[in-house]
Amino acid sequence: MAKLTFLGAAGSVTGSKYLVEANSKRLMVDCGLFQGTQELKQRNWAPMPEAASVNWLVLTHAHLDHTGWIPRFIKQGFKGPIFSNAATRELCGILLPDSGYLQEEDANHAQKKGYSSHKPALPLYTEAEAQECLARFVDNSRTDWFSISPEFSIRQHDAGHILGSASLEMAITEGGKKTVVLFSGDIGRYGGPILNSPAPPVAADVLLCETTYGDRDHPSDSPYDEMAEVVNRVVKRGGVIVIPAFAVDRTQLIMYVLHMLAAAGRIPSLPIYVDSPMAINVTDFYLKHREENSAEYAKEALTEDPLAVHTVHMTRTSTESKAINDVKTPCIIISASGMATGGRVLHHLVQRLPDAKNAVLLCGFQAEGTGGRALEDGVKTFHVMGQSVPVLAEIVDMKQFSAHAGQSELVRWISGFAVPPRQTYLVHGEPVAALAFQKILNARPGWKADVAQYRQTVDLSA
Ligand SMILES: [Zn+2]
């Protein structure tokens, strides 16, 4: 009997891990970090006795909440290969070592300031350990069936979320019976400027559907209009704009939008700093993987430098990064991490939050317990790296820039099923979002959707 266990992203947005078993073979889909609240993060430290018996790992995309536990998984005894497409492998080559570096940095910082729950403060894994896992990656096709074993075959479909992101169609064969499970992965946006839109779902017996925004839609006003308005407003009062942005996708999208606005004369030309070595490296992959690009971007890319990499200040070194502190005239600082959980953006926030002339633009999902969520919720004091910083800067929530489908885009995606899956499990959403989406699905004829529970095991062949 083929079965599946939800080892993460069940009742939460982060920590994606789904263990599929058939014929005593074990395949893990995604291996993400839990991020956000202390309670969630604590799960990253829990041992996983199953790890040594898992044969293979396959990835939907490179985001850390889908891949960031890999070094720990290997430390727990996983010995098999890791399958992904080339773009995802390349992005992991940047994201995982960086995650290890940040784990070490946080541990060192916590040790110095004495706020760690571990004594002495420990990293979950090191940069070197993360680097070692990269040798386990094996490329599979972006479009064709890939046979892992007699039990498991997989095929990827564009998810439109970040470079390389895929929904995974998995054919499981056991005792002569075939079951198709579709893992939505993270569904992206329709008609985004850089990436292809999500592909319609394929027929499946069982569906795991993400529900990050299952309870709400993004604002429908144009991201170009709002960005132009904010930039002009802040420049007029002589302020600086700080944009905490994910190094992957958000940074490139914001670069693209700012470039298009400046080219159209809708914003003044002002210094833009991309202050994240990782985002700079990722930008190269965005310029390279043309197969992922939407028609609009492809057209722009033919005539110009579509991300304006030649005019933006790409600051790699920490000396260059610190020098941005001396810039007192209007400028835009794009820096990671996107939920203000770590990275150089924390230093820019400490620097710029106490001045009402400035603005902070939040451009994506802010998970519970993160610095970004605190700013979104309107805290008056921002607690970071053991410091308390007054929040006087304007906080602008720009959900149009989300990389995740909003509720109606999720509905659009699931409307692509000619026949509803026999069973749907809702994952990758905070409970209120998953429950709201469950209501929508179960109101549709033929749908049977349940909210997945953490560590729950379900029978796939029933
Ligand atoms: Zn993602």
Side-chain angles (χ1 to χ4, degrees):
M1 163 188 107
K3 56 183 185 172
L4 183 149
T5 304
F6 301 96
L7 292 175
S12 67
V13 172
T14 59
S16 282
K17 282 179 213 80
Y18 311 114
L19 181 62
V20 187
E21 297 171 68
N23 213 7
S24 307
K25 296 283 167 42
R26 292 175 149 188
L27 169 61
M28 183 83 100
V29 177
D30 285 344
C31 192
L33 266 187
F34 286 103
Q35 297 163 315
T37 62
Q38 281 308 325
E39 186 200 340
L40 281 174
K41 284 196 280 192
Q42 212 46 45
R43 287 186 190 165
N44 292 324
W45 291 93
M48 186 191 279
E50 302 95 330
S53 66
V54 176
N55 304 85
W56 313 276
L57 168 62
V58 58
L59 303 176
T60 60
H61 66 292
H63 271 152
L64 287 178
D65 63 322
H66 295 256
T67 62
W69 208 71
I70 292 174
R72 197 75 195 167
F73 189 39
I74 289 175
K75 276 170 105 162
Q76 295 280 314
F78 171 65
K79 293 187 182 58
I82 302 165
F83 301 118
S84 79
N85 59 49
T88 296
R89 170 179 53 76
E90 288 171 353
L91 289 174
C92 284
I94 294 175
L95 290 173
L96 290 178
D98 182 74
S99 171
Y101 170 78
L102 290 178
Q103 301 282 349
E104 288 184 78
E105 225 185 23
D106 286 353
N108 288 338
H109 202 87
Q111 178 71 17
K112 266 191 230 151
K113 302 271 175 181
Y115 62 80
S116 168
S117 50
H118 300 266
K119 305 259 182 290
L122 291 173
L124 199 54
Y125 50 86
T126 64
E127 185 179 359
E129 285 166 337
Q131 199 75 45
E132 279 167 32
C133 349
L134 302 177
R136 302 281 191 100
F137 277 73
V138 177
D139 286 1
N140 58 14
S141 166
R142 187 73 175 101
T143 47
D144 300 328
W145 279 104
F146 176 76
S147 171
I148 293 175
S149 74
E151 295 81 17
F152 299 110
S153 293
I154 51 169
R155 187 162 61 151
Q156 304 184 17
H157 304 275
D158 251 324
H161 167 62
I162 63 164
L163 196 76
S165 65
S167 297
L168 287 180
E169 178 185 10
M170 180 185 292
I172 305 171
T173 310
E174 190 185 41
K177 188 174 184 293
K178 191 172 122 179
T179 306
V180 176
V181 183
L182 181 63
F183 298 82
S184 71
D186 288 5
I187 300 292
R189 310 297 303 275
Y190 288 89
I194 299 184
L195 298 177
N196 285 324
S197 290
V202 290
D205 300 301
V206 177
L207 167 68
L208 268 69
C209 186
E210 68 115 329
T211 55
T212 316
Y213 281 99
D215 60 338
R216 55 202 188 281
D217 264 317
H218 304 304
S220 56
D221 30 330
S222 145
Y224 291 89
D225 292 348
E226 188 168 7
M227 182 64 96
E229 228 169 78
V230 175
V231 171
N232 287 315
R233 181 164 77 227
V234 178
V235 168
K236 206 168 149 197
R237 62 178 188 239
V240 166
I241 297 172
V242 179
I243 309 181
F246 297 103
V248 181
D249 202 72
R250 290 313 76 184
T251 296
Q252 293 75 29
L253 179 61
I254 292 160
M255 288 167 76
Y256 182 77
V257 168
L258 290 172
H259 162 65
M260 296 300 275
L261 288 174
R266 296 184 61 191
I267 56 170
S269 112
L270 70 168
I272 298 172
Y273 298 91
V274 173
D275 187 27
S276 160
M278 184 166 61
I280 297 169
N281 292 334
V282 167
T283 300
D284 290 342
F285 295 140
Y286 266 74
L287 295 170
K288 169 180 156 191
H289 284 282
R290 291 296 166 87
E291 73 281 6
E292 305 265 331
N293 293 152
S294 73
E296 176 195 326
Y297 178 90
K299 205 168 111 214
E300 190 64 23
L302 280 180
T303 51
E304 299 217 37
D305 168 14
L307 301 178
V309 288
H310 297 298
T311 49
V312 166
H313 302 276
M314 308 285 236
T315 52
R316 279 188 191 272
T317 68
S318 67
T319 317
E320 289 171 315
S321 172
K322 283 184 189 129
I324 302 173
N325 289 347
D326 300 330
V327 180
K328 304 297 180 206
T329 47
C331 69
I332 298 175
I333 305 165
I334 307 169
S335 185
S337 74
M339 295 194 281
T341 48
R344 288 181 181 177
V345 78
L346 296 185
H347 298 278
H348 295 299
L349 289 173
V350 167
Q351 192 73 23
R352 308 292 182 173
L353 277 173
D355 187 339
K357 286 203 301 294
N358 299 336
V360 176
L361 268 58
L362 302 171
C363 290
F365 186 79
Q366 308 295 328
E368 247 179 279
T370 61
R373 174 67 75 92
L375 291 173
E376 187 180 283
D377 288 346
V379 289
K380 295 278 172 270
T381 308
F382 187 64
H383 299 284
V384 64
M385 302 182 293
Q387 297 181 58
S388 300
V389 181
V391 179
L392 294 171
E394 178 188 0
I395 307 297
V396 186
D397 198 358
M398 295 192 67
K399 286 285 189 290
Q400 294 98 322
F401 282 91
S402 174
H404 283 277
Q407 186 188 64
S408 47
E409 288 164 301
L410 285 177
V411 169
R412 175 174 171 180
W413 188 74
I414 63 108
S415 300
F417 281 101
V419 179
R422 164 166 53 72
Q423 171 70 50
T424 296
Y425 295 105
L426 301 174
V427 296
H428 202 285
E430 286 172 7
V432 51
L435 286 167
F437 201 61
Q438 179 189 30
K439 234 184 195 171
I440 291 177
L441 284 187
N442 285 343
R444 296 168 77 96
W447 281 81
K448 184 178 174 300
D450 290 305
V451 177
Q453 304 299 314
Y454 180 52
R455 300 209 74 97
Q456 175 192 11
T457 297
V458 296
D459 180 357
L460 291 173
S461 49

